[in-house]
Amino acid sequence: PGGVILSEAVIARKGDGITYQPSFKEPLHEGTEFTMLEKRGGWYQIELSDGRRCWIPETSAELI
């Protein structure tokens, strides 16, 4: 399923928890669309339109 980020800025992580390192230098911003690959413990593994993958908190996005 597809989704969109609702939070103003979200730190994308390399794993499903805040203890993981950020995936990118910049946060993801509100309106960023993605494809959800997996849901695990309140986190989504997502793929962005450019093919990059990361994890974001479930509460920061909505599936469409």
Side-chain angles (χ1 to χ4, degrees):
V4 63
I5 291 181
L6 300 178
S7 298
E8 187 175 319
V10 178
I11 297 174
R13 305 240 175 228
K14 295 182 178 182
D16 58 343
I18 60 170
T19 57
Y20 287 91
Q21 292 293 315
S23 292
F24 317 123
K25 290 181 180 179
E26 298 293 324
L28 301 177
H29 295 286
E30 183 178 6
T32 302
E33 296 184 5
F34 61 84
T35 301
M36 186 188 63
L37 303 173
E38 183 180 346
K39 179 180 173 182
R40 186 188 306 163
W43 290 76
Y44 291 149
Q45 183 185 33
I46 64 169
E47 183 173 341
L48 303 174
S49 60
D50 62 6
R52 295 184 297 169
R53 293 182 176 190
C54 61
W55 291 84
I56 59 169
E58 181 180 355
T59 56
S60 66
E62 184 172 302
L63 298 181
I64 51 176

